[in-house]
Amino acid sequence: ISLRSPLKVSESVDAATSYVFTGNSLRIPAIGLGMETPIPIVHVYYNEGSSELGWDLSTLGNYVGELEGGSYLPYAGNSALTGHYYSMGVFKNLEYLNEGDEIIVYGNDGIKYTYKVVQKFLAQPTDVYEMFQQVGERSLTLVTCENYNIVTDEYERRQLIRATIDYQEPYEEGIW
């Protein structure tokens, strides 16, 4: 059994790993994420044809990635969103998010979706199915790396935050 993470940050980047901006963006007030301007969400393709299974996050940078395999925002289902943990990554403070905290998605359909955190837990990197478990009709799972092992050059766990829709309302672009 390999313990290699499906969310491995790859060394190589080519034209096939370019991201598509979804038109959606994210704000998490409890940890100060996206307060000045919401963070753009980009689509992250699954590397099905490559020798390494998983998603290539090497060019994710300071965006939030919507993982292929989950529902696409703003549609119902469970959307799996990821962001870098290390240094100044967008999800570096995700561990400070608690049950009841809000996660706001500004949809490309002109609707502001407000989710409430309902669960927070750690998972093994190989527990990919955990990222895509739907909770209710409309949910989010935020995922990031945790516990970097310098010897193996890999993260040993994943921090997962599950949230369900609380309410939705129209918003005007640029008025946050």
Side-chain angles (χ1 to χ4, degrees):
I1 267 183
S2 169
L3 293 180
R4 293 190 62 85
S5 165
L7 292 178
K8 178 153 178 54
V9 177
S10 173
E11 298 290 326
S12 63
V13 178
D14 60 25
T17 61
S18 61
Y19 295 106
V20 174
F21 287 87
T22 65
N24 302 309
S25 58
L26 181 80
R27 169 179 282 155
I28 306 176
I31 59 172
L33 181 65
M35 295 312 289
E36 190 171 314
T37 303
I39 307 298
I41 299 173
V42 297
H43 182 75
V44 181
Y45 293 97
Y46 186 77
N47 292 330
E48 201 167 330
S50 75
S51 60
E52 278 196 39
L53 292 176
W55 299 264
D56 180 2
L57 305 179
S58 60
T59 60
L60 189 56
N62 286 319
Y63 297 122
V64 171
E66 176 183 63
L67 298 177
E68 184 173 25
S71 295
Y72 300 126
L73 291 169
Y75 299 107
N78 182 70
S79 300
L81 303 179
T82 190
H84 287 306
Y85 172 79
Y86 61 83
S87 184
M88 297 304 290
V90 293
F91 280 176
K92 68 181 170 72
N93 291 322
L94 202 62
E95 64 189 293
Y96 302 113
L97 204 53
N98 295 303
E99 288 186 27
D101 287 342
E102 291 184 339
I103 299 170
I104 301 166
V105 172
Y106 294 94
N108 57 20
D109 59 355
I111 303 294
K112 173 184 164 185
Y113 297 90
T114 302
Y115 297 80
K116 290 271 185 177
V117 173
V118 295
Q119 188 180 25
K120 175 180 173 176
F121 64 100
L122 297 174
Q124 295 300 313
T126 53
D127 294 341
V128 177
Y129 66 92
E130 290 286 1
M131 297 187 299
F132 299 103
Q133 296 301 308
Q134 187 168 333
V135 181
E137 183 181 326
R138 185 184 296 267
S139 60
L140 290 177
T141 300
L142 306 183
V143 60
T144 196
C145 302
E146 187 175 283
N147 202 32
Y148 178 73
N149 184 324
I150 195 164
V151 174
T152 62
D153 190 31
E154 293 184 338
Y155 287 91
E156 295 178 337
R157 293 188 301 256
R158 299 281 175 251
Q159 173 77 55
L160 281 90
I161 306 285
R162 288 202 178 120
T164 57
I165 192 73
D166 189 36
Y167 64 92
Q168 57 192 54
E169 61 189 351
Y171 80 97
E172 283 187 50
E173 186 82 27
I175 299 176
W176 315 114

